[in-house]
PDB file of all heavy atoms in Angstrom:
ATOM      1  N   MET A1495     -10.785   1.992 -13.941  1.00  0.00           N
ATOM      2  CA  MET A1495      -9.933   2.960 -13.252  1.00  0.00           C
ATOM      3  C   MET A1495      -9.697   4.140 -14.179  1.00  0.00           C
ATOM      4  O   MET A1495      -9.473   3.965 -15.370  1.00  0.00           O
ATOM      5  CB  MET A1495      -8.591   2.336 -12.892  1.00  0.00           C
ATOM      6  CG  MET A1495      -8.715   1.202 -11.918  1.00  0.00           C
ATOM      7  SD  MET A1495      -7.134   0.571 -11.416  1.00  0.00           S
ATOM      8  CE  MET A1495      -6.510   1.922 -10.502  1.00  0.00           C
ATOM      9  N   ASN A1496      -9.742   5.340 -13.630  1.00  0.00           N
ATOM     10  CA  ASN A1496      -9.395   6.556 -14.350  1.00  0.00           C
ATOM     11  C   ASN A1496      -8.322   7.263 -13.546  1.00  0.00           C
ATOM     12  O   ASN A1496      -8.360   7.262 -12.314  1.00  0.00           O
ATOM     13  CB  ASN A1496     -10.592   7.484 -14.510  1.00  0.00           C
ATOM     14  CG  ASN A1496     -11.668   6.880 -15.372  1.00  0.00           C
ATOM     15  OD1 ASN A1496     -11.362   6.160 -16.306  1.00  0.00           O
ATOM     16  ND2 ASN A1496     -12.915   7.161 -15.044  1.00  0.00           N
ATOM     17  N   SER A1497      -7.373   7.888 -14.238  1.00  0.00           N
ATOM     18  CA  SER A1497      -6.333   8.613 -13.529  1.00  0.00           C
ATOM     19  C   SER A1497      -6.004   9.882 -14.287  1.00  0.00           C
ATOM     20  O   SER A1497      -6.193   9.966 -15.503  1.00  0.00           O
ATOM     21  CB  SER A1497      -5.075   7.757 -13.382  1.00  0.00           C
ATOM     22  OG  SER A1497      -4.520   7.500 -14.647  1.00  0.00           O
ATOM     23  N   HIS A1498      -5.536  10.875 -13.541  1.00  0.00           N
ATOM     24  CA  HIS A1498      -5.066  12.111 -14.162  1.00  0.00           C
ATOM     25  C   HIS A1498      -4.127  12.824 -13.209  1.00  0.00           C
ATOM     26  O   HIS A1498      -4.175  12.637 -12.002  1.00  0.00           O
ATOM     27  CB  HIS A1498      -6.235  13.019 -14.552  1.00  0.00           C
ATOM     28  CG  HIS A1498      -7.004  13.558 -13.387  1.00  0.00           C
ATOM     29  ND1 HIS A1498      -7.999  12.852 -12.765  1.00  0.00           N
ATOM     30  CD2 HIS A1498      -6.929  14.742 -12.751  1.00  0.00           C
ATOM     31  CE1 HIS A1498      -8.503  13.571 -11.782  1.00  0.00           C
ATOM     32  NE2 HIS A1498      -7.870  14.723 -11.745  1.00  0.00           N
ATOM     33  N   ARG A1499      -3.247  13.611 -13.796  1.00  0.00           N
ATOM     34  CA  ARG A1499      -2.361  14.455 -12.999  1.00  0.00           C
ATOM     35  C   ARG A1499      -3.094  15.747 -12.703  1.00  0.00           C
ATOM     36  O   ARG A1499      -3.841  16.247 -13.540  1.00  0.00           O
ATOM     37  CB  ARG A1499      -1.080  14.744 -13.753  1.00  0.00           C
ATOM     38  CG  ARG A1499      -0.274  13.500 -13.985  1.00  0.00           C
ATOM     39  CD  ARG A1499       1.130  13.843 -14.398  1.00  0.00           C
ATOM     40  NE  ARG A1499       1.852  12.652 -14.787  1.00  0.00           N
ATOM     41  CZ  ARG A1499       2.379  11.782 -13.949  1.00  0.00           C
ATOM     42  NH1 ARG A1499       2.266  11.954 -12.666  1.00  0.00           N
ATOM     43  NH2 ARG A1499       3.016  10.719 -14.389  1.00  0.00           N
ATOM     44  N   LEU A1500      -2.856  16.270 -11.531  1.00  0.00           N
ATOM     45  CA  LEU A1500      -3.551  17.485 -11.121  1.00  0.00           C
ATOM     46  C   LEU A1500      -2.874  18.717 -11.695  1.00  0.00           C
ATOM     47  O   LEU A1500      -1.650  18.787 -11.777  1.00  0.00           O
ATOM     48  CB  LEU A1500      -3.576  17.570  -9.596  1.00  0.00           C
ATOM     49  CG  LEU A1500      -4.311  16.411  -8.928  1.00  0.00           C
ATOM     50  CD1 LEU A1500      -4.113  16.468  -7.442  1.00  0.00           C
ATOM     51  CD2 LEU A1500      -5.766  16.465  -9.270  1.00  0.00           C
ATOM     52  N   ASP A1501      -3.685  19.686 -12.096  1.00  0.00           N
ATOM     53  CA  ASP A1501      -3.161  20.958 -12.571  1.00  0.00           C
ATOM     54  C   ASP A1501      -2.724  21.808 -11.401  1.00  0.00           C
ATOM     55  O   ASP A1501      -3.267  21.707 -10.302  1.00  0.00           O
ATOM     56  CB  ASP A1501      -4.214  21.736 -13.349  1.00  0.00           C
ATOM     57  CG  ASP A1501      -4.502  21.118 -14.695  1.00  0.00           C
ATOM     58  OD1 ASP A1501      -3.665  20.337 -15.165  1.00  0.00           O
ATOM     59  OD2 ASP A1501      -5.562  21.414 -15.267  1.00  0.00           O
ATOM     60  N   ARG A1502      -1.770  22.648 -11.670  1.00  0.00           N
ATOM     61  CA  ARG A1502      -1.346  23.620 -10.662  1.00  0.00           C
ATOM     62  C   ARG A1502      -1.777  24.979 -11.178  1.00  0.00           C
ATOM     63  O   ARG A1502      -1.530  25.334 -12.322  1.00  0.00           O
ATOM     64  CB  ARG A1502       0.157  23.570 -10.477  1.00  0.00           C
ATOM     65  CG  ARG A1502       0.627  24.517  -9.393  1.00  0.00           C
ATOM     66  CD  ARG A1502       2.075  24.357  -9.154  1.00  0.00           C
ATOM     67  NE  ARG A1502       2.812  24.891 -10.297  1.00  0.00           N
ATOM     68  CZ  ARG A1502       4.096  25.122 -10.291  1.00  0.00           C
ATOM     69  NH1 ARG A1502       4.806  24.839  -9.245  1.00  0.00           N
ATOM     70  NH2 ARG A1502       4.702  25.609 -11.353  1.00  0.00           N
ATOM     71  N   ARG A1503      -2.431  25.749 -10.353  1.00  0.00           N
ATOM     72  CA  ARG A1503      -2.944  27.037 -10.778  1.00  0.00           C
ATOM     73  C   ARG A1503      -2.195  28.142 -10.042  1.00  0.00           C
ATOM     74  O   ARG A1503      -2.134  28.147  -8.819  1.00  0.00           O
ATOM     75  CB  ARG A1503      -4.432  27.131 -10.507  1.00  0.00           C
ATOM     76  CG  ARG A1503      -5.039  28.370 -11.063  1.00  0.00           C
ATOM     77  CD  ARG A1503      -6.559  28.274 -11.011  1.00  0.00           C
ATOM     78  NE  ARG A1503      -7.097  29.320 -11.842  1.00  0.00           N
ATOM     79  CZ  ARG A1503      -7.597  29.141 -13.041  1.00  0.00           C
ATOM     80  NH1 ARG A1503      -7.625  27.943 -13.540  1.00  0.00           N
ATOM     81  NH2 ARG A1503      -8.062  30.137 -13.730  1.00  0.00           N
ATOM     82  N   MET A1504      -1.653  29.073 -10.817  1.00  0.00           N
ATOM     83  CA  MET A1504      -0.976  30.228 -10.243  1.00  0.00           C
ATOM     84  C   MET A1504      -1.525  31.465 -10.939  1.00  0.00           C
ATOM     85  O   MET A1504      -1.117  31.777 -12.057  1.00  0.00           O
ATOM     86  CB  MET A1504       0.538  30.133 -10.444  1.00  0.00           C
ATOM     87  CG  MET A1504       1.148  28.963  -9.712  1.00  0.00           C
ATOM     88  SD  MET A1504       2.914  28.899  -9.852  1.00  0.00           S
ATOM     89  CE  MET A1504       3.386  30.340  -8.967  1.00  0.00           C
ATOM     90  N   GLY A1505      -2.520  32.115 -10.336  1.00  0.00           N
ATOM     91  CA  GLY A1505      -3.146  33.266 -10.962  1.00  0.00           C
ATOM     92  C   GLY A1505      -3.948  32.828 -12.176  1.00  0.00           C
ATOM     93  O   GLY A1505      -4.638  31.819 -12.144  1.00  0.00           O
ATOM     94  N   PRO A1506      -3.862  33.565 -13.272  1.00  0.00           N
ATOM     95  CA  PRO A1506      -4.643  33.211 -14.460  1.00  0.00           C
ATOM     96  C   PRO A1506      -4.014  32.102 -15.297  1.00  0.00           C
ATOM     97  O   PRO A1506      -4.590  31.653 -16.269  1.00  0.00           O
ATOM     98  CB  PRO A1506      -4.673  34.517 -15.251  1.00  0.00           C
ATOM     99  CG  PRO A1506      -3.419  35.203 -14.864  1.00  0.00           C
ATOM    100  CD  PRO A1506      -3.183  34.846 -13.421  1.00  0.00           C
ATOM    101  N   VAL A1507      -2.833  31.653 -14.935  1.00  0.00           N
ATOM    102  CA  VAL A1507      -2.112  30.658 -15.726  1.00  0.00           C
ATOM    103  C   VAL A1507      -2.282  29.278 -15.104  1.00  0.00           C
ATOM    104  O   VAL A1507      -2.086  29.097 -13.907  1.00  0.00           O
ATOM    105  CB  VAL A1507      -0.609  31.012 -15.809  1.00  0.00           C
ATOM    106  CG1 VAL A1507       0.137  29.976 -16.619  1.00  0.00           C
ATOM    107  CG2 VAL A1507      -0.421  32.399 -16.369  1.00  0.00           C
TER     108      VAL A1507
END
Side-chain angles (χ1 to χ4, degrees):
M1495 296 184 68
N1496 295 326
S1497 65
H1498 66 277
R1499 295 195 187 282
L1500 299 172
D1501 288 341
R1502 183 175 71 167
R1503 186 169 194 103
M1504 296 184 66
V1507 180

